[in-house]
């Protein structure tokens, strides 16, 4: 029963995620690229990078891996070389999404806490360099993933499917790579995000007390534009960082538990709690590829306005075409 339930949930969940997430991230990229949201070019670069990586996660991980490869097992996607490449890209896209979130968090930390360094670091050019510097090592570091899988079947000398290479995963290199990926991609990034956020909050609290003292009691009820901007930045930062940590926590905990207990859920009973926990963690971390658009729409007024314009654009175009056609008649 547990197996049927989790498989049914996956068959419904991933298509729904793709239907919602792909258009949402595409709209986010378009809106942010226009530069009409009142955001600096620097932060826009990071937000576009995050949206792009999330879009790639949905296209490669969800659509190609969880939907097409599962429902069409004899398609070209199931050829072993293509299958290996898809698995490699699933790891790369997830890692890019994680590290772009860290880059965004660090950028917010610099802008809020180091005003003197802000002018030099928080530029469009620097953001592009940071994104590139982060991306290249991610592609290189995950090359061993291509050797971690072997063909499931060989039919007429043609290799089909992918299954984990037991020799690789049980070897010292495989164990080290698995743990290094978990520590580097998740635990280390968790620590960095929590650290930068903690330092940012500390700085904002100290600065707030200082500004209230300077402004005096008589102006307590007056608005403070600088503190209001910081408050908005903090809300955006914490919402993105918090949702990322919460949605990835289950996946990372299940990874650690299965490795420590040496549980190989993928070769055993799918009713096993380890399997269900792992699949639930996977579903939650894939959900993190859809949340940022909702965060922007909730916390950014100008983003909501641009989103409304974008959604109305097709109807506006149809309306103009109808009016022009009516006039011509």
């Amino acid at each position: 029963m547990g197996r049927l339930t989790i498989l049914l949930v996956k068959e419904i969940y991933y298509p729904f995620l793709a239907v919602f997430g792909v258009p949402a991230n595409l709209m986010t990229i378009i809106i942010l690229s226009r530069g009409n949201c009142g955001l600096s070019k620097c932060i826009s670069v990071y937000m576009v990078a995050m949206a792009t990586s999330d879009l790639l996660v949905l296209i490669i991980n969800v659509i190609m891996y969880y939907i097409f490869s599962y429902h069409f097992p004899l398609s070209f996607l199931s050829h072993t070389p293509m299958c290996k490449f898809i698995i490699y890209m699933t790891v790369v896209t997830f890692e890019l999404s994680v590290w772009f979130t860290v880059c965004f968090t660090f950028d917010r930390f610099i802008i809020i806490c180091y005003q003197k360094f802000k002018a030099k670091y928080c530029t469009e050019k620097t953001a592009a360099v940071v994104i590139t510097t982060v991306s290249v090592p991610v592609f290189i570091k995950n090359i061993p993933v291509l050797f971690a899988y072997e063909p499931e079947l060989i039919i007429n000398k043609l290799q089909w499917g992918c299954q984990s290479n037991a020799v690789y995963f049980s070897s010292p290199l495989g164990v080290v790579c698995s743990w290094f990926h978990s520590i580097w991609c998740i635990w280390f990034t968790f620590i960095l995000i929590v650290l930068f956020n903690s330092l940012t909050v500390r700085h904002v609290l100290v600065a707030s007390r200082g500004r209230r003292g300077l402004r005096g009691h008589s102006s307590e009820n007056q608005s403070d534009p600088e503190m209001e901007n910081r408050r908005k930045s903090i809300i955006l930062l914490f919402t993105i960082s918090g949702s990322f940590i919460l949605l990835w926590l289950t996946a990372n905990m299940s990874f650690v538990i299965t490795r420590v207990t040496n549980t190989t859920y993928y070769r055993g009973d799918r009713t096993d709690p380890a399997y269900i926990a792992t699949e639930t963690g996977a579903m939650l971390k894939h959900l993190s590829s859809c949340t940022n658009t909702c965060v922007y729409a909730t916390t950014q007024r100008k983003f909501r306005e641009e989103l409304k314009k974008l959604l109305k654009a097709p109807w506006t175009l149809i309306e103009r075409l109808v009016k022009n056609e009516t006039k011509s008649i």
Side-chain angles (χ1 to χ4, degrees), residues 158-281:
L158 189 63
Q159 298 178 343
W160 288 89
C162 291
Q163 64 180 4
S164 56
N165 189 325
V167 175
Y168 173 84
F169 281 105
S170 61
S171 67
L173 176 62
V175 173
V176 169
C177 286
S178 296
W179 278 105
F180 178 75
H181 175 75
S182 177
I183 293 170
W184 176 255
C185 184
I186 304 298
W187 293 113
F188 185 52
T189 56
F190 273 25
I191 292 171
L192 289 178
I193 289 173
V194 172
L195 175 63
F196 293 145
N197 285 344
S198 301
L199 293 173
T200 302
V201 169
R202 179 178 176 276
H203 176 85
V204 169
L205 291 176
V206 172
S208 298
R209 287 196 293 266
R211 287 184 68 84
R212 281 198 297 267
L214 289 173
R215 290 169 66 84
H217 298 288
S218 61
S219 60
E220 282 185 355
N221 295 327
Q222 297 179 9
S223 62
D224 187 341
E226 183 174 340
M227 293 310 300
E228 182 65 18
N229 288 334
R230 288 186 180 182
R231 185 185 69 83
K232 291 179 181 179
S233 295
I234 288 292
I235 291 173
L236 178 63
L237 172 64
F238 274 30
T239 309
I240 291 175
S241 302
S243 63
F244 165 77
I245 291 175
L246 289 174
L247 293 173
W248 274 79
L249 194 57
T250 302
N252 202 47
M253 290 301 297
S254 64
F255 173 87
V256 173
I257 292 171
T258 54
R259 290 303 185 276
V260 170
T261 59
N262 197 29
T263 303
T264 53
Y265 72 92
Y266 47 86
R267 294 184 186 276
D269 184 8
R270 291 190 176 183
T271 62
D272 189 279
Y275 171 80
I276 296 173
T278 301
E279 292 302 319
T280 302

Side-chain angles (χ1 to χ4, degrees), residues 66-327:
Y66 278 102
I67 298 177
F68 284 174
S69 295
Y70 178 78
H71 290 285
F72 304 99
L74 298 180
S75 69
F76 77 98
L77 296 178
S78 297
H79 291 177
T80 299
M82 189 64 184
C83 179
K84 285 185 177 182
F85 177 74
I86 291 174
I87 294 175
Y88 165 76
M89 287 303 299
T90 61
V91 179
V92 168
T93 52
F94 258 140
E95 195 162 332
L96 288 176
S97 180
V98 170
W99 278 103
F100 289 166
T101 303
V102 175
C103 293
F104 169 79
T105 306
F106 182 71
D107 179 76
R108 295 295 86 196
F109 165 70
I110 294 295
I111 285 179
I112 295 173
C113 300
Y114 293 95
Q115 294 293 316
K116 293 182 179 179
F117 187 53
K118 169 184 172 181
K120 293 182 179 179
Y121 179 82
C122 301
T123 63
E124 185 178 12
K125 181 179 179 181
T126 301
V129 170
V130 170
I131 294 299
T132 304
T133 304
V134 168
S135 300
V136 173
V138 168
F139 279 93
I140 296 174
K141 182 186 78 67
N142 288 299
I143 289 178
V145 173
L146 295 170
F147 304 96
Y149 294 86
E150 60 186 6
E152 275 188 299
L153 297 169
I154 299 179
I155 302 175
N156 296 327
K157 298 182 180 180
L158 189 63
Q159 298 178 343
W160 288 89
C162 291
Q163 64 180 4
S164 56
N165 189 325
V167 175
Y168 173 84
F169 281 105
S170 61
S171 67
L173 176 62
V175 173
V176 169
C177 286
S178 296
W179 278 105
F180 178 75
H181 175 75
S182 177
I183 293 170
W184 176 255
C185 184
I186 304 298
W187 293 113
F188 185 52
T189 56
F190 273 25
I191 292 171
L192 289 178
I193 289 173
V194 172
L195 175 63
F196 293 145
N197 285 344
S198 301
L199 293 173
T200 302
V201 169
R202 179 178 176 276
H203 176 85
V204 169
L205 291 176
V206 172
S208 298
R209 287 196 293 266
R211 287 184 68 84
R212 281 198 297 267
L214 289 173
R215 290 169 66 84
H217 298 288
S218 61
S219 60
E220 282 185 355
N221 295 327
Q222 297 179 9
S223 62
D224 187 341
E226 183 174 340
M227 293 310 300
E228 182 65 18
N229 288 334
R230 288 186 180 182
R231 185 185 69 83
K232 291 179 181 179
S233 295
I234 288 292
I235 291 173
L236 178 63
L237 172 64
F238 274 30
T239 309
I240 291 175
S241 302
S243 63
F244 165 77
I245 291 175
L246 289 174
L247 293 173
W248 274 79
L249 194 57
T250 302
N252 202 47
M253 290 301 297
S254 64
F255 173 87
V256 173
I257 292 171
T258 54
R259 290 303 185 276
V260 170
T261 59
N262 197 29
T263 303
T264 53
Y265 72 92
Y266 47 86
R267 294 184 186 276
D269 184 8
R270 291 190 176 183
T271 62
D272 189 279
Y275 171 80
I276 296 173
T278 301
E279 292 302 319
T280 302
M283 287 189 285
L284 288 175
K285 71 179 183 180
H286 281 96
L287 180 60
S288 68
S289 299
C290 300
T291 55
N292 284 350
T293 301
C294 299
V295 169
Y296 303 152
T298 304
T299 61
Q300 303 293 309
R301 178 180 58 82
K302 290 186 177 181
F303 182 88
R304 288 196 299 272
E305 294 174 355
E306 291 298 314
L307 180 59
K308 290 177 183 177
K309 291 179 183 178
L310 187 60
L311 291 173
K312 291 179 181 178
W315 307 108
T316 304
L317 179 60
I318 293 173
E319 186 179 354
R320 288 179 181 175
L321 291 174
V322 171
K323 286 182 178 180
N324 291 336
E325 187 70 22
T326 304
K327 289 180 181 178

